[in-house]
Amino acid sequence: MANIDRIVNVQISLNTNGVSKEGFSTMLVVGTHANTLNRVTTYTNINDLTNDGFSTDDPIYKAVSVAFSQIPRPRQVKVGRRQIEEVNISVNNIKDNTDYTVTISSKDNKGIITEQEYQFNSSTSATATTIVSGLQSAMTDDTVVTATVESENLKLVTKSNKAFSVKVSSNLSIELAEPTEEIADTMSAITASDSDFYGIVLASRDKDDIMAMAEWVETQTKLFGTSTAEQEAKDSETDTDLLSMLKAKNYYRTFAFYHELADSEYLEAGVMARCFAIEPGGETWANKVLSGLTADNLTETEYRAITNKNGNTFETSRNKSITQNGKVAGDEWIDVIRFRDWLQEEITVNVFNLLINSNKVPYTDAGIALIENQIRQALLLGQRRGGIAPTEYDEDNNENLGFSIEMPLAANISANTKAQRLLEDVKFTARLAGAIHVVEIAGSFTYENLINE
């Protein structure tokens, strides 16, 4: 029988493969912990952190809890682990004839996890020292950590900088030593594990850590938020506080709040979660009502000092507690930075998809128009999202475009440039829609008749 393919041969290619896009609504809380081995762990509710061993007074728990407290709440929050070298274990409930358990987990280069449990029974006449000494004896041959007894504590120190996690029975408690890992090294390891996040919250309130994170973020397409309780932040004559230092560096990817309870509350996590619930271009970071946070009572002089340093505040107005200002340290609106990053990614992916899913984009006016169409689609979406202004008209009905695109003509491009297969001089200009934060209204009373003209 003759094959029908001789006459009609149909081949259907799949041009449906898409390019992954960077997310602009995902938060990452970075902090030290020894609860999991992964550099990045994704949580969809606060109970999962408790199940992993986070206590309610852990800074990471507090930050994630504030994020999940907002309405609308984020679908997920990621936690990035800053590696620690030392953990101290103490006894919080001394009892005779009771089991005390320490479990050490580690991961090798192939991702294989090993778990080792050590147990000591306190027998009679138990003391904190005898309990931790008994556990230390059981852990003598552990390949991950070195265990030593210091007074009534069991100190675990990593061997060869190996990452490890620790779980203990309820009659023991864990205290983490100060981390020695630099912020840049932490973030390098985190992004190597999972780079799909945009907003960063740092659990540490150490000023050096904050400045190091701000420096790292400035080189990335990310956004970093922090808070400070420094009283100097409210003083216009002081320039050694965190707000002043961030402003002096002119950081465009870091925003900071003054918050009196910054050491125990993570205001930046709340506003980030609240605004990330809105698509880029559709939000402003000022005038946001937040849940689970304490508003500050500032004088007008203090407010001016903070905002003059490009800081932000959370204050009560009438019966509502709202954010004020909404700027990064470099004196730009936070929403503009986020929208710019989103638009850049949208255009990049649109054009890249065209190039990889086409047999060829010809170096002709028609081919250049295909590129223009991809840019236009991104800009139109930016308009629909509210970041780019729509086409508007003045009182004389003159058109004021929301955006314009300039594309070169193929005939005007040199042969040498065409030989390189490089399209240059592609430009667009877009009008930001902006946002109204303040309204000034002037009115008057009169006894005269008012005529509607």
Side-chain angles (χ1 to χ4, degrees):
M1 181 182 295
N3 193 328
I4 194 172
D5 287 352
R6 295 181 192 172
I7 304 169
V8 179
N9 186 286
V10 178
Q11 301 289 334
I12 301 177
S13 60
L14 292 176
N15 292 327
T16 57
N17 53 313
V19 180
S20 62
K21 292 182 182 180
E22 294 293 332
F24 293 92
S25 297
T26 303
M27 290 175 53
L28 174 80
V29 177
V30 179
T32 57
H33 70 85
N35 296 315
T36 63
L37 291 169
N38 294 333
R39 277 290 184 169
V40 180
T41 307
T42 301
Y43 295 99
T44 56
N45 66 75
I46 196 63
N47 295 328
D48 290 341
L49 274 84
T50 306
N51 294 336
D52 273 348
F54 288 93
S55 64
T56 55
D57 60 354
D58 189 300
I60 293 175
Y61 181 95
K62 290 179 179 179
V64 176
S65 178
V66 166
F68 281 134
S69 296
Q70 303 314 306
I71 302 173
R73 68 187 292 274
R75 288 178 296 175
Q76 62 180 22
V77 176
K78 297 183 178 182
V79 171
R81 179 176 58 80
R82 188 179 183 188
Q83 185 159 318
I84 56 167
E85 310 296 326
E86 179 183 326
V87 168
N88 292 293
I89 298 174
S90 60
V91 182
N92 57 30
N93 190 1
I94 301 172
K95 281 189 176 181
D96 294 340
N97 303 312
T98 301
D99 289 333
Y100 293 82
T101 306
V102 176
T103 304
I104 307 295
S105 300
S106 64
K107 185 191 299 185
D108 64 18
N109 295 333
K110 296 181 180 179
I112 298 174
I113 295 175
T114 58
E115 184 176 284
Q116 183 65 52
E117 181 182 287
Y118 300 98
Q119 191 174 85
F120 174 74
N121 186 278
S122 60
S123 186
T124 58
S125 303
T127 66
T129 301
T130 59
I131 293 169
V132 296
S133 296
L135 288 168
Q136 188 271 336
S137 297
M139 300 175 68
T140 301
D141 297 326
D142 190 87
T143 60
V144 179
V145 298
T146 299
T148 57
V149 174
E150 291 189 355
S151 184
E152 296 183 344
N153 293 328
L154 178 65
K155 183 169 76 170
L156 307 181
V157 179
T158 179
K159 293 180 178 178
S160 304
N161 295 320
K162 281 186 176 181
F164 67 97
S165 66
V166 182
K167 294 189 183 301
V168 297
S169 51
S170 60
N171 45 22
L172 298 171
S173 59
I174 296 174
E175 182 179 346
L176 306 180
E178 289 298 317
T180 58
E181 186 176 60
E182 298 292 337
I183 290 292
D185 294 331
T186 296
M187 297 310 298
S188 177
I190 285 174
T191 53
S193 172
D194 182 357
S195 63
D196 187 16
F197 59 90
Y198 181 66
I200 300 171
V201 171
L202 183 62
S204 171
R205 291 306 194 205
D206 181 81
K207 190 182 291 188
D208 290 338
D209 287 345
I210 293 172
M211 294 303 295
M213 181 65 83
E215 180 180 3
W216 182 85
V217 168
E218 203 68 15
T219 66
Q220 312 293 316
T221 307
K222 308 289 185 185
L223 183 68
F224 170 45
T226 189
S227 297
T228 180
E230 292 176 300
Q231 294 302 300
E232 294 82 359
K234 300 186 292 182
D235 186 349
S236 61
E237 298 177 1
T238 302
D239 61 3
T240 57
D241 60 282
L242 179 65
L243 299 184
S244 297
M245 291 170 64
L246 292 170
K247 179 182 178 181
K249 289 288 187 178
N250 204 36
Y251 285 137
Y252 277 86
R253 296 189 169 276
T254 296
F255 67 87
F257 277 80
Y258 168 79
H259 186 42
E260 186 176 343
L261 300 179
D263 292 339
S264 59
E265 292 187 351
Y266 287 82
L267 175 55
E268 67 275 21
V271 69
M272 190 178 287
R274 175 66 182 85
C275 290
F276 277 11
I278 308 166
E279 294 287 1
E283 91 283 12
T284 175
W285 293 57
N287 301 330
K288 287 291 176 287
V289 177
L290 303 178
S291 303
L293 293 158
T294 308
D296 291 314
N297 184 21
L298 301 173
T299 67
E300 193 64 19
T301 299
E302 291 170 335
Y303 169 77
R304 295 296 176 189
I306 293 166
T307 54
N308 284 341
K309 296 175 182 182
N310 296 331
N312 306 281
T313 66
F314 183 57
E315 303 171 72
T316 300
S317 180
R318 294 291 176 93
N319 63 333
K320 295 292 185 181
S321 297
I322 58 174
T323 59
Q324 292 284 276
N325 208 23
K327 284 189 173 183
V328 295
D331 198 27
E332 181 56 89
W333 302 109
I334 303 171
D335 56 275
V336 170
I337 299 298
R338 182 176 178 232
F339 180 71
R340 179 193 63 178
D341 290 342
W342 170 84
L343 184 60
Q344 178 178 312
E345 177 74 1
E346 193 71 17
I347 292 173
T348 299
V349 171
N350 281 8
V351 174
F352 187 60
N353 262 323
L354 171 68
L355 295 174
I356 66 172
N357 287 320
S358 303
N359 289 329
K360 181 176 76 170
V361 177
Y363 213 136
T364 62
D365 286 339
I368 293 171
L370 292 175
I371 301 289
E372 179 182 3
N373 185 58
Q374 296 304 312
I375 299 171
R376 186 177 304 279
Q377 291 304 312
L379 294 171
L380 287 170
L381 181 56
Q383 272 188 329
R384 293 195 295 273
R385 294 276 173 85
I388 297 175
T391 297
E392 297 171 314
Y393 300 87
D394 63 17
E395 63 274 12
D396 297 321
N397 208 35
N398 295 314
E399 190 175 53
N400 187 12
L401 297 174
F403 65 84
S404 63
I405 305 173
E406 296 179 36
M407 303 295 291
L409 295 173
N412 295 335
I413 299 173
S414 70
N416 182 59
T417 300
K418 288 181 178 179
Q420 297 177 58
R421 301 197 170 187
L422 171 65
L423 180 61
E424 298 178 310
D425 298 322
V426 176
K427 303 175 183 178
F428 74 86
T429 303
R431 278 193 307 117
L432 287 170
I436 297 172
H437 289 176
V438 180
V439 178
E440 294 183 357
I441 302 171
S444 62
F445 290 121
T446 181
Y447 287 107
E448 302 293 333
N449 293 331
L450 299 178
I451 300 174
N452 186 16
E453 295 181 358

